[in-house]
Amino acid sequence: MPSTPESKYRNVTRFQRLLNSAVRHLPTQTVLETTGRVSGQPRRTPLGGRRVGDTFWLVSEFGELSQYVRNIKANPKVRVRIMGRWHTGTAHLLPDDDPQARLRTLPRFNSAAVKAMGSSLLTVRVDLEG
């Protein structure tokens, strides 16, 4: 039976929930904190990306299906923990950016995982404050 994007999403997110619950506590893990669009509570997602000056770049492997992307759409104010330090910023969804090209500028290991697990890539830019 062929895998559909929806079944791939369900399988990958099930795996990520198990992994993320442990990984997000590692001090060197990059973490994106959004505000839950329904609960209003902080939601932390470990992810990969790269800081370039006052900008943090990442690619969502499931685009607008990702819960953190849905939260960003409701409230773009976020925090990003990079190398153990929290930074506040404003996230921007960039559907016109080429996510495959963007992945080539991001850390290889994370980019390979995003390509392997993803089905609908979306570039996200976070403009960091201070």
Side-chain angles (χ1 to χ4, degrees), residues 1-63:
M1 173 186 262
S3 176
T4 65
E6 293 82 16
S7 66
K8 185 175 185 179
Y9 172 76
R10 282 193 305 275
N11 291 333
V12 170
T13 56
R14 190 175 301 126
F15 170 75
Q16 285 177 332
R17 281 190 190 113
L18 292 171
L19 183 65
N20 290 353
S21 64
V23 172
R24 83 176 109 226
H25 299 292
L26 298 174
T28 58
Q29 175 64 49
T30 301
V31 175
L32 176 69
E33 183 181 84
T34 60
T35 301
R37 63 193 176 282
V38 175
S39 69
Q41 298 299 308
R43 300 294 181 215
R44 292 183 175 175
T45 306
L47 44 73
R50 173 166 282 146
R51 182 177 182 170
V52 178
D54 289 334
T55 305
F56 183 79
W57 294 92
L58 66 119
V59 174
S60 168
E61 65 266 45
F62 289 108

Side-chain angles (χ1 to χ4, degrees), residues 110-130:
N110 178 72
S111 294
V114 168
K115 286 179 192 175
M117 291 189 265
S119 61
S120 179
L121 306 180
L122 175 66
T123 301
V124 180
R125 183 188 79 224
V126 179
D127 296 332
L128 303 172
E129 299 168 5

